[in-house]
Amino acid sequence: MKSLLTKTTKILAAVALLGAVSANAFTEGKDYMVLEKPLSVEKGTLTKVFSYACPFCYKYDKSVTPKVVEKVSGLKYVPYHLKTKAEYGEAASKVLAVLVVKDQEKGVNLLDDNSMFKKAKFAYYKAYHDKKERWNDGKNPEAFIKAGLDAAGMSMDEYNKELENPKVIELLKKWDESYEVAKIQGVPAFVVDGKYLIYTSTITSVDGFAKLIEELLKK
């Protein structure tokens, strides 16, 4: 009897272990796909393709993205704004690209509360989604641009000057790659190492999201 119990216990333990392994296993085609044309980013990155006009992008940035980046050791967060969505998509990309470059030059993390990029991004999010601001439906780009710059603490003169910065021009060119990614499943779109597009429909928790990213980083 003791031998039978011991054998049964071992079997149950093996089944439980197999179940645990299966639960943590991620598969191509179900949890992620491999992009035919990778994004121009470094290894060790999580790229988020987003739009200021996307409500789910806003929700992820409030409660998911920062926690996931914090959980995965050494992970670099890379935002790609989608200029083809909403009336001020292109204007938003220019403002945010300028501020990303300024943050990088100052050594400020883009997820830090002191980030100029983050301040402008959330100013747009809150105005568009919480206050339902539309800046005259595309007919007042000056007001839209000013809303982001005011939040970041940058003058219009400095902004116009920074638009000529080669780093800003290069970044905007890279962000154009986001369109092909967004076409696949919309935004937000999360890409690991520039090549593994995560299916957001399979994300059920921050921990699960982090584990998937960790597995993809090892490929």
Side-chain angles (χ1 to χ4, degrees):
M1 178 62 74
K2 183 177 180 181
S3 176
L4 179 60
L5 288 174
T6 301
K7 186 176 181 180
T8 302
T9 300
K10 288 181 178 180
I11 292 174
L12 290 174
V15 170
L17 179 60
L18 179 60
V21 171
S22 297
N24 289 329
F26 301 103
T27 56
E28 182 180 345
K30 177 185 176 184
D31 301 289
Y32 67 93
M33 69 171 286
V34 180
L35 295 175
E36 291 185 7
K37 186 177 181 181
L39 297 176
S40 303
V41 296
E42 301 173 357
K43 284 189 65 63
T45 62
L46 174 67
T47 303
K48 180 186 178 184
V49 178
F50 75 103
S51 165
Y52 76 90
C54 164
F56 299 105
C57 297
Y58 183 20
K59 291 178 180 178
Y60 267 89
D61 273 345
K62 282 195 294 186
S63 58
V64 178
T65 311
K67 293 179 182 178
V68 167
V69 175
E70 184 178 359
K71 277 183 173 291
V72 182
S73 178
L75 184 65
K76 182 180 179 181
Y77 165 65
V78 179
Y80 269 42
H81 186 264
L82 181 66
K83 75 177 184 181
T84 55
K85 183 176 175 64
E87 292 85 357
Y88 293 111
E90 187 168 1
S93 285
K94 289 180 178 179
V95 170
L96 295 174
V98 164
L99 299 177
V100 164
V101 170
K102 292 299 288 186
D103 280 339
Q104 291 174 339
E105 290 176 348
K106 294 178 180 179
V108 178
N109 189 303
L110 299 181
L111 294 173
D112 191 278
D113 287 340
N114 291 321
S115 162
M116 297 173 75
F117 163 77
K118 182 177 179 179
K119 290 176 181 178
K121 178 179 65 174
F122 273 94
Y124 285 139
Y125 276 151
K126 291 175 182 177
Y128 191 88
H129 300 287
D130 298 341
K131 300 178 182 178
K132 309 303 179 184
E133 174 64 71
R134 293 297 181 267
W135 299 277
N136 203 20
D137 294 323
K139 298 181 181 66
N140 195 349
E142 294 81 8
F144 178 86
I145 293 170
K146 188 175 186 299
L149 296 181
D150 285 352
M154 176 178 283
S155 70
M156 188 66 76
D157 286 342
E158 184 180 3
Y159 166 70
N160 287 326
K161 179 181 177 181
E162 288 299 322
L163 281 175
E164 304 302 319
N165 186 329
K167 293 180 180 178
V168 173
I169 295 171
E170 180 184 1
L171 183 57
L172 285 170
K173 186 176 180 180
K174 285 184 178 181
W175 282 6
D176 283 344
E177 299 171 1
S178 63
Y179 177 70
E180 293 301 320
V181 176
K183 283 199 307 184
I184 298 171
Q185 63 169 0
V187 288
F190 293 95
V191 183
V192 177
D193 276 350
K195 61 190 293 188
Y196 303 110
L197 173 64
I198 292 173
Y199 290 134
T200 50
S201 60
T202 65
I203 299 173
T204 57
S205 69
V206 169
D207 287 340
F209 192 7
K211 288 178 181 177
L212 173 53
I213 293 170
E214 289 172 340
E215 182 168 311
L216 293 175
L217 288 172
K218 296 174 184 176
K219 290 184 176 293

